[in-house]
Amino acid sequence: MLDGLRIIVTSPAQLTCDYFALAGMGATYFNAGLVGLACIVVLLLSGIQMNGLSLMAFFLTTGFSFFGMNILNIWPCILGTLVFSFVDRTPFKNHVNIALFATSLSPFVSEGIFRHPAFDTWPSKIAFGIALGVIGGFLLPILCKHAPSLHKGYSLYNAAAVSGFIGILLLSFMYRATGFEIPTNTLIGESYFSIVPTFSAIMCLTLVVYGYFINGKHFTGFDKLLFETGYQCDYVGKYNVGLTAANIGLVGLCATLYYVLIGAGMTGPTMGCIICLMAVAPCGAHIINVIPIMLGYMLSSTFAAFELTTPATIVGICFAAAMAPIPGRFGLPCGIIAGLLHACMVTTVVTFHQGFCLYNGGFTCAVTCIILVPVLENFFEPHDHLRLLPTLKKKDPIS
């Protein structure tokens, strides 16, 4: 297991690298556990009052530790946000969630240290890799302030909307502008069909049971949560930890069932994607406003040239769920359209940063919202309560 962990931390981490195939299942789960514990320590030491966004940051970072993040390459990105807090003279707890989101750029750290051909000596390679992570972590809290203006709040991943642009910047600096050949790092191993769904189901059911007990041994109030639109929501603050945990578990079970039904390979990325999809549950997603997006993905496969079981689309759906406010506010058919558009674009958007930004699916959410939301706002009325069908916008007749 330790030998496998050494392989993980010393290998390039570009999308999509299956850590199960790279280093074994034991080493992968060990790495995920270390990364998850590191997130908890960073959150606690910052002194932040935990909320839905903190849970999202935790689940996302832990999920990507199955294919892209490791206990070594996350730290320069976190350090970059810490440096920003000193320069900006604001408490680190104000930016700690963004510090965890900044780890989406951690493949640049591994790339700079272990593969990029610009430097020959280990001190220069290490300095280069750390510098890339620090730059990404420093820029992200600045750009995140402007992310909502891109997608108007209809993507739950603010950080993903701008981390993709930072990824494009760093990739251009590392490869395109310097003339070096851009490498690829796709590695998908065998499917562990018995282990991955079982582990996921146990994890999700544990969250549901935990939520049941924390909520006073009942699910009172959960029906109200299921009729939230998902727009600008924090279920921890509006409801409680118990109902939020139950919702996270239920969304995770839905994600597991989806991957089983489409016949996805039960690899490291699939395991990570289930956890990543659970990340949106504390901040607006639930099974009612997520299922239409999944249906949109399934519909796209009926006419598109790609299959739902390809690695890019498996990773894509876990982030497409971040568009849950679209079916919530405009109606479930609009969610199907959003999922369909996301599925068609996710494999194209990745070419801009070549997989060095792990939040490619979230970046695609922002692109989808930029295109789709203005169209929906022009024809349909957004609502503050969950809508099953769209409501046409009333317009003054032409005089």
Side-chain angles (χ1 to χ4, degrees):
M1 185 176 67
L2 294 177
D3 287 341
L5 181 65
R6 177 185 56 80
I7 294 172
I8 289 174
V9 300
T10 57
S11 298
Q14 187 182 5
L15 281 176
T16 304
C17 181
D18 182 357
Y19 284 171
F20 283 176
L22 180 68
M25 181 171 286
T28 303
Y29 276 105
F30 185 46
N31 177 63
L34 291 175
V35 171
L37 288 173
C39 292
I40 294 172
V41 170
V42 171
L43 289 167
L44 291 178
L45 290 180
S46 71
I48 189 177
Q49 182 68 35
M50 297 287 285
N51 54 24
L53 197 62
S54 304
L55 289 175
M56 178 190 288
F58 168 78
F59 277 101
L60 272 179
T61 309
T62 305
F64 271 109
S65 60
F66 287 85
F67 64 117
M69 296 183 194
N70 59 62
I71 194 59
L72 175 67
N73 66 11
I74 62 174
W75 295 111
C77 303
I78 296 173
L79 176 62
T81 306
L82 180 63
V83 171
F84 169 79
S85 69
F86 280 114
V87 174
D88 196 51
R89 289 182 286 185
T90 51
F92 180 59
K93 68 180 181 180
N94 293 0
H95 312 290
V96 65
N97 293 327
I98 296 178
L100 296 185
F101 291 136
T103 58
S104 62
L105 300 166
S106 57
F108 284 104
V109 178
S110 297
E111 187 72 14
I113 296 176
F114 298 110
R115 186 166 62 177
H116 197 274
F119 300 98
D120 297 326
T121 63
W122 277 112
S124 58
K125 286 178 175 288
I126 293 172
F128 183 49
I130 292 175
L132 291 171
V134 170
I135 291 171
F138 186 90
L139 291 176
L140 196 63
I142 302 173
L143 299 183
C144 274
K145 299 175 184 178
H146 305 281
S149 62
L150 293 175
H151 53 74
K152 296 188 175 183
Y154 285 94
S155 172
L156 301 179
Y157 291 137
N158 273 335
V162 293
S163 64
F165 290 111
I166 298 175
I168 294 171
L169 172 67
L170 294 179
L171 177 71
S172 300
F173 172 73
M174 290 178 65
Y175 285 107
R176 297 193 189 279
T178 54
F180 292 116
E181 182 180 356
I182 301 174
T184 57
N185 200 50
T186 301
L187 173 64
I188 299 295
E190 63 179 293
S191 178
Y192 295 88
F193 193 82
S194 60
I195 297 176
V196 171
T198 302
F199 179 89
S200 175
I202 293 173
M203 174 181 62
C204 296
L205 288 172
T206 301
L207 281 166
V208 174
V209 173
Y210 171 78
Y212 172 79
F213 282 100
I214 292 296
N215 197 49
K217 297 184 179 180
H218 56 74
F219 290 114
T220 303
F222 195 71
D223 55 337
K224 295 181 179 179
L225 186 151
L226 288 178
F227 282 92
E228 293 280 353
T229 64
Y231 184 74
Q232 297 180 348
C233 288
D234 183 341
Y235 294 151
V236 175
K238 188 169 184 178
Y239 295 94
N240 56 51
V241 174
L243 291 180
T244 303
N247 185 54
I248 295 172
L250 194 58
V251 169
L253 288 173
C254 181
T256 305
L257 181 61
Y258 169 82
Y259 284 128
V260 170
L261 288 177
I262 67 171
M266 295 299 165
T267 61
T270 304
M271 180 70 255
C273 285
I274 293 171
I275 299 176
C276 288
L277 204 154
M278 294 163 67
V280 293
C283 296
H286 50 71
I287 56 171
I288 296 179
N289 60 13
V290 165
I291 287 178
I293 297 171
M294 292 181 173
L295 292 176
Y297 254 72
M298 297 177 75
L299 179 62
S300 69
S301 67
T302 62
F303 64 86
F306 58 82
E307 296 180 356
L308 293 175
T309 54
T310 58
T313 51
I314 288 175
V315 176
I317 185 60
C318 80
F319 275 95
M323 297 185 295
I326 292 180
R329 295 200 84 195
F330 290 104
L332 302 188
C334 297
I336 296 175
I337 296 173
L340 188 151
L341 293 178
H342 190 281
C344 292
M345 290 192 294
V346 70
T347 54
T348 301
V349 173
V350 72
T351 60
F352 291 111
H353 53 77
Q354 292 296 315
F356 285 105
C357 174
L358 296 176
Y359 289 177
N360 176 65
F363 186 42
T364 308
C365 281
V367 176
T368 304
C369 289
I370 290 171
I371 298 170
L372 181 61
V373 170
V375 177
L376 295 178
E377 289 181 335
N378 185 75
F379 294 105
F380 303 118
E381 194 74 40
H383 292 272
D384 294 329
H385 300 284
L386 185 73
R387 300 294 300 177
L388 296 180
L389 295 174
T391 302
L392 286 173
K393 179 175 285 188
K394 296 180 181 179
K395 294 186 177 182
D396 295 331
I398 299 174
S399 58

